[in-house]
Amino acid sequence: MDELEEKKELELFRSLLRNKQYAALRGRAQDMNEADLAAMLEQMEDEDMLKMFRLFPKELAADVFSLLEPDSQQYIITSLSEKEAGTIIDNLYADDAADLLEEMPASVVKKLLANAKPETRNDINHLLQYPDDSAGSVMTVEFVDLKLTMDVAQALDRIRSIGMDSETVNTCYVLNDKRLLLGTVSLRSLVLAKPEQPIEDIMEEDVISVNTNTDQEKVAQQFKKYDLTSMPVVDRENRMVGIITVDDVMDIIEEETTEDLEKMAGIVPSDTEKPYLKTGVFETWKKRVPWLMLLMISATFTGRIITSFETALSAHIVLSSYIPMLMDTGGNAGSQASVEVVRALSLDEVHFSDYWKVVFKEMRVALLCGITLAAANFAKCMLLDGVSTAVAFAVCMTIICAVFFSKCIAATLVLVVSKLGLDPAVVASPMLTTIIDAISLLVYFSISTAVLHIPV
Amino acid sequence: MDELEEKKELELFRSLLRNKQYAALRGRAQDMNEADLAAMLEQMEDEDMLKMFRLFPKELAADVFSLLEPDSQQYIITSLSEKEAGTIIDNLYADDAADLLEEMPASVVKKLLANAKPETRNDINHLLQYPDDSAGSVMTVEFVDLKLTMDVAQALDRIRSIGMDSETVNTCYVLNDKRLLLGTVSLRSLVLAKPEQPIEDIMEEDVISVNTNTDQEKVAQQFKKYDLTSMPVVDRENRMVGIITVDDVMDIIEEETTEDLEKMAGIVPSDTEKPYLKTGVFETWKKRVPWLMLLMISATFTGRIITSFETALSAHIVLSSYIPMLMDTGGNAGSQASVEVVRALSLDEVHFSDYWKVVFKEMRVALLCGITLAAANFAKCMLLDGVSTAVAFAVCMTIICAVFFSKCIAATLVLVVSKLGLDPAVVASPMLTTIIDAISLLVYFSISTAVLHIPV
């Protein structure tokens, strides 16, 4: 649905609700797509949302519930009776349920789990143990397991008896008695095979799996590299415990991209990613002010550099007019290099072992860029600004040096930081600009005092 | 495989190749995953790569080929005989083949198509017509079409007779005689249903589809919103022409993210995205120098502002030491806002109609941030710098105004630019910083000349 359709539908639902035409409401909701329905509920007042939600049949309720924003989920789950809430939890995928419970106060979690079925409770408790951002915390525990001794007909019977949701059934996993993963069988190959064919014949043995502790960013890389739609997760003893599906991976990529962008813009990423307009003013302030403060303080060092060259500046006041240009050019040149290297790292195109290749490339690019910019700037200095050749020379030499240092330092910092196991996105941030500002200014004043024979 | 395993395997392959142990080589290659094999070929000399490639059975050859980098693909396809190349093209998915041919010189394309099967030729020619970055250009034309009049047994027979690759078979599409899309049937529901059940009974009618002209970014948004693994593509007359699968969407997301990051860092994205280390120095220079040049030129305006306040600066030389801090703080505050709004737009969380909500939010956040920073700075000015209260007051007032204007201008520009149908990522770039630098300086000099009673 586009924005306009959504608005119309919302109006219709509101009026049906006001006129208590619940049967019509329920019918209309069942014809709609769950994601559209969830998006619409988000637009409603809390009480209306709850009323609507109670009208849904329980399967639909669970599907829509899993698509709501965390704060709406919390509102609904705490407003429902304990029995109603228990039913919702039972009908959710265990990983969605675990995500929900992680955000709730402990007393509510206890009550909710008490009302869920024992097997749901087990699955959820299991999932809650894994560290944040690990494969274990994003996996789902529902999957189809087959035995090596089955034939195709038995395998299809097993799938029918489990009768699971479509996403998780397209690949089945062959386990031995110790639940070690032996291979995979696609639903397609089961359909194409003869009923009496043994599973062993059509099993794919070359399986890409991850460990429960694998970082979710690594999981996403594997999905992209091998074009997967699902991936088994094994525990430390190599027993299969769950699967990660491609829709979870899309969420991971989205989350990691947002985090990287935020870090690069000097924003502290928050644990609970809320949509922009749902994040409170105070919360946004908390995400933004730490870096602003840090950068403000570090920028005073740049100010100190300027003060200490007061003599040079007051003798040649024209020098100060080039300060913003030199600082910006250095900063921009550096951030270009850092963003490209950070991106190459996260796409797994570059590793620390390529250090010299990367820096050598950046050096050559920097020289090319620096010389181009210096040439253009020299022309401008002489033709438009009418400054002395000595000043023009000092400014242009500074451009070349600033671009050169900026790109080398940026690439080096990014690679070193990632080698240390830290997130390089933090380096490709305003912090880098501050460092480069200081260096550009030092270079500028050193060159110009030398060229213009200014006593320091 | 991790980096170390990859290196060992590469050494082994090289030595087998040197000793002409081709049978062993072929056997080992067939045991490996295609993506790993492609990654390894990329590391080899061109001639070795070609030799290896010729050893592969033709199915494997096509699979590995589709995973190679564009420049390796071109080398291989032009080095093979016309007949060999034709076989590769026939065994590729039509969309991969079309992507390949788009990069080749016209004469080569003609020769390649002449050697491919007529149906391959048709599919490819069809795909080549769609504009870049449209749903039509990324879709694949291979899918399973069913008729409404079939029963489950007939549908399964049809799937068996087509015998297609797993990815494209998990969802089947029910079309009428005019090839209009009536609904979808998942392979899972076919397996769960009774053989004699009519397709109509188990068909899902609520289908999310896109048009061939839909932008690929929009396609990716729909996939995320509705948690899809494949999506039908229809033409202007609503006839179904292809499907987009989730692995294509992952590539789209990767491509769009890289483009956004590059734009934000003042890099001109190139049409053919090559990995960082494979992009030549000259090519990288071409991507980076335009923005550096433009920003260098625009930064001279900031320089002009400083020059025109020479009097103020020479009377109170201490004022110039705060220039870097004020410029940086404004720039950082603005880029925080722009990055968050750009991200919210691309995640479909915010629209132009939310303009006032966004700006009102940014205003309040800006005031909070500005006041916090000003307070900290005032303390520093008085305690550490020992400047006069008037100077400290001027600096702090500038911080508040600069942060306020930066965030409002950033949010406004991003929303307006996206409303105009342009890419807002370009705004969230160093260009914004340059605009904000100028504004911060103007505010600074206006406030300080007023507070310090300096004649301008």
Side-chain angles (χ1 to χ4, degrees):
Chain A
M1 287 204 296
D2 61 27
E3 232 185 309
L4 200 74
E5 286 174 327
E6 225 174 271
K7 261 189 193 146
K8 271 194 199 156
E9 200 70 17
L10 184 61
E11 271 323 299
L12 179 69
F13 271 86
R14 276 191 179 134
S15 82
L16 287 174
L17 207 57
R18 239 173 299 140
N19 302 320
K20 307 204 166 148
Q21 295 180 284
Y22 297 135
L25 242 170
R26 183 204 280 250
R28 200 153 180 98
Q30 277 178 293
D31 285 345
M32 273 176 76
N33 178 291
E34 294 85 4
D36 288 330
L37 212 48
M40 213 180 57
L41 283 186
E42 291 288 348
Q43 311 274 326
M44 292 187 156
E45 318 299 308
D46 278 356
E47 273 182 42
D48 282 357
M49 178 168 73
L50 190 65
K51 266 190 214 158
M52 286 277 297
F53 194 79
R54 283 197 155 122
L55 286 171
F56 298 161
K58 83 185 172 203
E59 282 278 315
L60 182 65
D63 284 350
V64 171
F65 183 85
S66 70
L67 295 165
L68 291 173
E69 300 294 340
D71 50 347
S72 307
Q73 289 183 334
Q74 292 198 23
Y75 170 76
I76 288 181
I77 209 84
T78 45
S79 310
L80 291 176
S81 75
E82 287 176 22
K83 205 171 141 262
E84 285 172 317
T87 318
I88 297 280
I89 300 280
D90 280 336
N91 279 293
L92 287 176
Y93 277 112
D95 60 330
D96 288 336
D99 283 350
L100 167 71
L101 294 182
E102 261 182 341
E103 305 284 320
M104 312 280 287
S107 58
V108 180
V109 173
K110 222 171 141 184
K111 255 188 358 198
L112 285 174
L113 284 180
N115 280 284
K117 287 186 204 148
E119 57 267 36
T120 311
R121 208 152 52 217
N122 267 343
D123 286 349
I124 294 175
N125 277 328
H126 201 63
L127 285 172
L128 286 175
Q129 293 161 19
Y130 297 108
D132 254 13
D133 297 348
S134 69
S137 75
V138 288
M139 74 184 182
T140 178
V141 289
E142 288 96 349
F143 60 90
V144 181
D145 52 335
L146 304 176
K147 288 205 176 105
L148 200 57
T149 49
M150 289 178 171
D151 63 19
V152 168
Q154 286 170 317
L156 285 171
D157 278 347
R158 165 118 184 106
I159 292 174
R160 287 194 196 99
S161 77
I162 307 186
M164 217 174 270
D165 225 333
S166 83
E167 227 185 285
T168 44
V169 85
N170 289 331
T171 308
C172 306
Y173 299 87
V174 185
L175 309 183
N176 69 7
D177 290 341
K178 288 180 180 139
R179 299 195 70 72
L180 296 186
L181 179 61
L182 305 175
T184 61
V185 177
S186 70
L187 184 57
R188 166 190 158 265
S189 59
L190 284 173
V191 169
L192 296 184
K194 292 194 194 83
E196 66 280 4
Q197 226 171 327
I199 286 297
E200 207 172 346
D201 275 13
I202 55 168
M203 181 175 83
E204 181 71 54
E205 281 174 73
D206 177 25
V207 185
I208 314 283
S209 67
V210 285
N211 196 279
T212 47
N213 290 318
T214 309
D215 187 79
Q216 60 174 10
E217 204 168 356
K218 183 83 193 162
V219 172
Q221 278 179 0
Q222 300 275 310
F223 260 82
K224 281 190 279 187
K225 181 170 177 190
Y226 298 106
D227 271 353
L228 304 170
T229 49
S230 65
M231 189 190 230
V233 183
V234 298
D235 67 8
R236 241 175 308 172
E237 281 84 40
N238 256 318
R239 286 174 309 213
M240 181 163 167
V241 288
I243 57 170
I244 294 177
T245 50
V246 71
D247 56 314
D248 297 323
V249 171
M250 302 252 268
D251 292 341
I252 294 171
I253 294 176
E254 193 177 294
E255 201 181 300
E256 296 281 340
T257 308
T258 304
E259 261 189 47
D260 277 5
L261 280 172
E262 289 187 337
K263 282 181 193 154
M264 287 184 192
I267 300 168
V268 184
S270 58
D271 285 342
T272 55
E273 274 306 335
K274 284 191 204 165
Y276 174 80
L277 284 175
K278 297 240 170 183
T279 316
V281 169
F282 188 71
E283 215 170 320
T284 307
W285 170 81
K286 268 206 307 198
K287 285 170 70 176
R288 294 190 188 173
V289 88
W291 272 103
L292 286 180
M293 188 67 85
L294 197 69
L295 295 168
M296 185 179 83
I297 295 166
S298 58
T300 56
F301 292 104
T302 333
R304 287 276 158 84
I305 297 174
I306 295 186
T307 325
S308 66
F309 285 90
E310 254 177 56
T311 345
L313 282 176
S314 48
H316 295 263
I317 195 87
V318 66
L319 285 180
S320 66
S321 72
Y322 291 105
I323 291 179
M325 186 271 285
L326 291 171
M327 279 170 50
D328 282 352
T329 303
N332 292 333
S335 70
Q336 287 181 332
S338 63
V339 164
E340 289 216 316
V341 179
V342 166
R343 188 68 188 150
L345 278 169
S346 76
L347 294 182
D348 214 21
E349 292 170 3
V350 157
H351 303 98
F352 186 74
S353 53
D354 300 314
Y355 178 79
W356 286 112
K357 274 192 227 165
V358 172
V359 170
F360 183 54
K361 179 183 163 165
E362 287 300 333
M363 281 178 170
R364 286 174 296 161
V365 173
L367 278 180
L368 267 181
C369 286
I371 291 170
T372 322
L373 296 176
N377 193 65
F378 193 80
K380 180 191 151 273
C381 280
M382 301 309 290
L383 299 174
L384 296 177
D385 302 355
V387 295
S388 67
T389 322
V391 169
F393 178 73
V395 172
C396 292
M397 280 306 294
T398 308
I399 290 182
I400 296 178
C401 296
V403 171
F404 187 80
F405 288 135
S406 306
K407 290 206 188 280
C408 294
I409 292 171
T412 302
L413 268 181
V414 166
L415 287 170
V416 169
V417 164
S418 85
K419 178 69 182 174
L420 295 175
L422 302 170
D423 187 339
V426 173
V427 179
S429 76
M431 192 176 66
L432 182 72
T433 316
T434 314
I435 298 173
I436 286 171
D437 278 356
I439 293 173
S440 305
L441 281 180
L442 281 176
V443 171
Y444 184 40
F445 290 126
S446 314
I447 294 181
S448 49
T449 44
V451 170
L452 302 173
H453 309 292
I454 304 169
V456 191
Chain B
M1 287 205 296
D2 61 27
E3 233 185 310
L4 200 73
E5 286 174 327
E6 226 174 89
K7 259 189 195 147
K8 269 194 199 156
E9 199 70 17
L10 184 60
E11 272 322 299
L12 180 69
F13 271 86
R14 277 194 178 132
S15 82
L16 288 174
L17 207 56
R18 238 174 298 141
N19 302 320
K20 306 205 168 150
Q21 295 180 285
Y22 297 135
L25 242 170
R26 185 205 279 252
R28 199 152 181 100
Q30 277 178 294
D31 284 346
M32 274 177 75
N33 179 291
E34 293 86 5
D36 287 330
L37 213 48
M40 213 180 57
L41 284 187
E42 291 287 347
Q43 312 271 327
M44 291 189 156
E45 319 298 307
D46 278 354
E47 272 181 44
D48 282 357
M49 177 168 73
L50 190 64
K51 264 190 215 159
M52 286 277 294
F53 195 79
R54 282 200 157 121
L55 286 171
F56 297 161
K58 80 182 176 208
E59 281 279 315
L60 181 66
D63 283 351
V64 172
F65 184 84
S66 71
L67 295 165
L68 291 174
E69 301 293 341
D71 51 346
S72 307
Q73 289 184 335
Q74 291 198 22
Y75 169 76
I76 288 181
I77 209 85
T78 45
S79 309
L80 292 175
S81 75
E82 288 177 20
K83 207 172 140 261
E84 284 172 317
T87 319
I88 297 279
I89 301 279
D90 280 335
N91 279 294
L92 287 176
Y93 276 113
D95 60 330
D96 288 337
D99 283 351
L100 167 71
L101 294 183
E102 262 181 341
E103 305 283 320
M104 312 280 287
S107 59
V108 180
V109 173
K110 223 172 139 185
K111 254 185 5 198
L112 285 174
L113 283 181
N115 279 284
K117 287 187 205 149
E119 58 267 34
T120 312
R121 210 154 49 217
N122 268 342
D123 286 350
I124 294 175
N125 276 327
H126 201 63
L127 285 172
L128 286 175
Q129 293 161 21
Y130 297 108
D132 255 14
D133 296 350
S134 70
S137 75
V138 289
M139 74 184 183
T140 178
V141 289
E142 288 96 349
F143 60 90
V144 181
D145 51 336
L146 303 177
K147 289 206 176 103
L148 199 57
T149 50
M150 290 176 169
D151 64 20
V152 168
Q154 288 169 315
L156 286 171
D157 279 345
R158 166 119 185 105
I159 293 173
R160 286 191 197 103
S161 77
I162 306 187
M164 217 172 269
D165 225 333
S166 81
E167 227 186 287
T168 45
V169 85
N170 289 333
T171 308
C172 307
Y173 299 87
V174 185
L175 309 183
N176 70 6
D177 291 339
K178 290 181 179 140
R179 301 195 69 74
L180 296 186
L181 179 61
L182 305 175
T184 61
V185 177
S186 69
L187 184 57
R188 164 189 159 266
S189 59
L190 284 173
V191 169
L192 296 184
K194 292 194 193 86
E196 65 281 5
Q197 227 171 326
I199 287 298
E200 208 173 346
D201 275 13
I202 56 169
M203 180 174 84
E204 181 71 54
E205 282 174 74
D206 178 24
V207 185
I208 314 284
S209 66
V210 285
N211 195 279
T212 47
N213 291 317
T214 309
D215 187 80
Q216 62 174 8
E217 205 168 355
K218 182 80 196 168
V219 173
Q221 278 180 0
Q222 299 276 308
F223 260 81
K224 281 189 277 186
K225 180 170 177 189
Y226 298 107
D227 271 353
L228 304 171
T229 50
S230 66
M231 188 192 233
V233 183
V234 298
D235 67 9
R236 241 174 307 170
E237 281 83 40
N238 256 318
R239 287 174 308 214
M240 182 162 167
V241 289
I243 57 170
I244 294 177
T245 50
V246 72
D247 55 315
D248 297 322
V249 171
M250 302 251 270
D251 292 342
I252 294 171
I253 295 176
E254 193 178 293
E255 202 181 300
E256 297 280 340
T257 309
T258 305
E259 261 190 45
D260 278 4
L261 281 171
E262 289 188 337
K263 282 180 193 155
M264 287 183 191
I267 300 168
V268 184
S270 58
D271 285 341
T272 55
E273 276 305 336
K274 285 190 204 166
Y276 174 80
L277 283 175
K278 296 240 170 183
T279 315
V281 169
F282 188 70
E283 216 170 321
T284 307
W285 170 80
K286 268 206 306 197
K287 286 170 71 178
R288 293 190 190 174
V289 89
W291 273 104
L292 285 180
M293 188 66 84
L294 196 70
L295 295 167
M296 186 179 82
I297 295 167
S298 58
T300 56
F301 292 104
T302 333
R304 286 277 157 83
I305 297 173
I306 295 186
T307 325
S308 66
F309 283 92
E310 254 177 55
T311 345
L313 282 177
S314 49
H316 295 263
I317 195 87
V318 66
L319 285 180
S320 66
S321 72
Y322 291 106
I323 291 179
M325 184 272 283
L326 290 171
M327 279 169 50
D328 283 353
T329 303
N332 293 333
S335 70
Q336 287 180 332
S338 63
V339 164
E340 288 216 317
V341 178
V342 166
R343 188 68 187 149
L345 277 169
S346 76
L347 293 182
D348 213 21
E349 292 169 3
V350 156
H351 303 99
F352 186 75
S353 54
D354 300 314
Y355 177 79
W356 287 112
K357 273 192 229 166
V358 172
V359 171
F360 184 54
K361 179 182 163 166
E362 286 301 333
M363 282 178 170
R364 285 175 296 161
V365 174
L367 278 181
L368 268 181
C369 288
I371 292 169
T372 323
L373 296 176
N377 193 65
F378 192 81
K380 180 191 150 273
C381 280
M382 302 308 290
L383 300 174
L384 296 177
D385 303 353
V387 296
S388 67
T389 323
V391 169
F393 178 73
V395 172
C396 293
M397 279 306 294
T398 308
I399 290 182
I400 296 178
C401 296
V403 171
F404 187 80
F405 287 136
S406 306
K407 290 206 188 280
C408 294
I409 292 171
T412 302
L413 268 181
V414 167
L415 287 171
V416 169
V417 163
S418 86
K419 177 69 181 174
L420 294 176
L422 302 170
D423 187 340
V426 173
V427 179
S429 74
M431 192 176 66
L432 182 73
T433 317
T434 314
I435 298 174
I436 286 170
D437 278 356
I439 294 174
S440 305
L441 281 180
L442 282 176
V443 170
Y444 184 40
F445 289 125
S446 314
I447 294 179
S448 49
T449 44
V451 171
L452 302 173
H453 309 291
I454 304 169
V456 190

